[in-house]
């Protein structure tokens, strides 16, 4: 059974930073790309960042380029998302997902809330 557990969210002022973590189990983590997605209130799920299985290739949606950094530690079965220079529009529930998360259905965790105050 795929299990994904996110942590690290919280309330931060605009311009601040957070580091999200996602610990995975139940599948071959080191062989799987991983994705961070988010959902703001009243909005659709949006992919934020992706990383390939080895960690050498990373991708970001335009709105977070230069501010967020995705990384992974395959020895710890963990993927991270460093959020810098946060903006109020980054407020959302953040989820990690197994794989590229490009389809209509994919495994994801329960999420961690990020709230950015003005």
């Amino acid at each position: 059974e795929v299990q994904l557990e996110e942590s690290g969210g919280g309330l931060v002022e605009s311009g601040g930073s957070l580091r999200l973590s996602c610990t995975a189990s139940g599948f071959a983590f080191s062989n799987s790309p991983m994705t961070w997605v988010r959902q703001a209130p009243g909005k659709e799920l949006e992919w934020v960042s992706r990383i390939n299985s080895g960690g050498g290739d990373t991708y970001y949606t335009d709105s977070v380029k230069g501010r967020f950094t995705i990384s992974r530690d395959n020895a710890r079965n963990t993927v991270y998302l460093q959020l810098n220079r946060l903006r109020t529009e980054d407020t959302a529930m953040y989820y990690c997902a197994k794989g590229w998360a490009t389809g209509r259905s994919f495994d994801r965790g329960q999420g961690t809330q990020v709230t950015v105050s003005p």
Side-chain angles (χ1 to χ4, degrees), residues 6-20:
E6 302 92 340
S7 62
L11 173 64
V12 64
E13 291 185 350
S14 180
S17 298
L18 287 171
R19 188 193 196 204
L20 308 184

Side-chain angles (χ1 to χ4, degrees), residues 91-104:
T91 294
M93 185 72 79
Y94 285 71
Y95 304 89
C96 71
K98 176 178 175 289
W100 296 117
T102 55
R104 295 175 62 87

Side-chain angles (χ1 to χ4, degrees), residues 20 23-24 27 42 45 68 79 103 115:
L20 308 184
T23 302
F27 64 100
L45 205 62
F68 292 7
V79 60
T115 303

Side-chain angles (χ1 to χ4, degrees), residues 29-117:
F29 179 81
S30 61
N31 292 341
S32 178
M34 295 294 293
T35 301
W36 284 96
V37 298
R38 67 184 178 185
Q39 188 165 27
K43 296 189 176 181
E44 293 186 352
L45 205 62
E46 170 192 32
W47 81 272
V48 176
S49 183
R50 297 180 170 115
I51 188 167
N52 72 339
S53 59
D57 294 324
T58 58
Y59 308 90
Y60 302 92
T61 195
D62 285 347
S63 63
V64 309
K65 282 180 182 176
R67 300 188 299 120
F68 292 7
T69 303
I70 191 170
S71 62
R72 66 190 296 160
D73 183 343
N74 284 345
R76 298 178 182 271
N77 279 15
T78 302
V79 60
Y80 305 97
L81 189 66
Q82 178 69 40
L83 288 63
N84 295 332
R85 292 187 282 142
L86 281 160
R87 305 168 180 168
T88 55
E89 55 264 39
D90 294 318
T91 294
M93 185 72 79
Y94 285 71
Y95 304 89
C96 71
K98 176 178 175 289
W100 296 117
T102 55
R104 295 175 62 87
S105 177
F106 45 84
D107 293 306
R108 57 177 162 128
Q110 294 299 306
T112 187
Q113 177 68 40
V114 172
T115 303
V116 185
S117 64

